[in-house]
């Protein structure tokens, strides 16, 4: 009976070791997949942010052009108090941004 008990104990140890190795391998594979998913999510988020930034830049450009036209119209109508100063500052800002 001693030999049979030893075989059963050895078989149990082998099965336990195999299950442990399988569990560790599975956990490692899940971790690698989660890292890959997070990297893909970050890339998608970055792409979405780039699109939003491009849209906002275009919108800001149109707003600046509209503001410049409005200030120009006010100056032509004779509003000379702070309109020329604001118009000059806006033009200076737009020129500086164009050369960046």
């Amino acid at each position: 009976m001693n030999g049979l008990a030893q075989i059963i104990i050895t078989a149990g140890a082998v099965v336990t070791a195999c299950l442990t190795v399988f569990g560790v391998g599975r956990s490692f594979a899940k971790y690698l997949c989660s890292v890959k998913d997070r990297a893909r999510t970050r890339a998608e988020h970055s792409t979405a942010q780039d699109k939003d930034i491009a849209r906002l830049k275009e919108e800001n450009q149109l707003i600046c052009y509209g503001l410049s036209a409005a200030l120009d119209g006010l100056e032509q109508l004779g509003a000379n108090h702070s309109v020329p100063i604001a118009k000059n500052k806006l033009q200076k800002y737009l020129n500086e941004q164009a050369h960046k």
Side-chain angles (χ1 to χ4, degrees):
M1 192 57 93
N2 201 5
L4 181 61
Q6 187 64 33
I7 292 173
I8 292 173
I9 291 171
T10 304
V14 168
V15 169
T16 302
C18 289
L19 290 175
T20 301
V21 168
F22 175 75
V24 169
R26 185 170 180 235
S27 296
F28 185 69
K30 281 178 128 179
Y31 171 75
L32 289 179
C33 287
S34 71
V35 168
K36 185 178 178 183
D37 288 343
R38 282 183 286 190
R40 184 178 37 83
T41 302
R42 282 189 199 120
E44 290 172 356
H45 184 68
S46 178
T47 302
Q49 281 183 336
D50 290 345
K51 288 179 182 177
D52 288 343
I53 289 170
R55 184 184 53 79
L56 288 172
K57 283 183 177 182
E58 183 179 342
E59 187 176 302
N60 284 342
Q61 182 183 14
L62 291 173
I63 290 170
C64 286
Y65 287 147
L67 181 59
S68 178
L71 289 172
D72 188 46
L74 285 171
E75 191 174 37
Q76 289 176 8
L77 291 175
N80 291 326
H81 181 60
S82 60
V83 172
I85 297 168
K87 184 181 171 191
N88 288 336
K89 285 184 179 183
L90 180 62
Q91 286 176 345
K92 182 180 177 183
Y93 171 78
L94 291 175
N95 285 334
E96 287 174 355
Q97 293 302 310
H99 290 93
K100 280 188 176 180

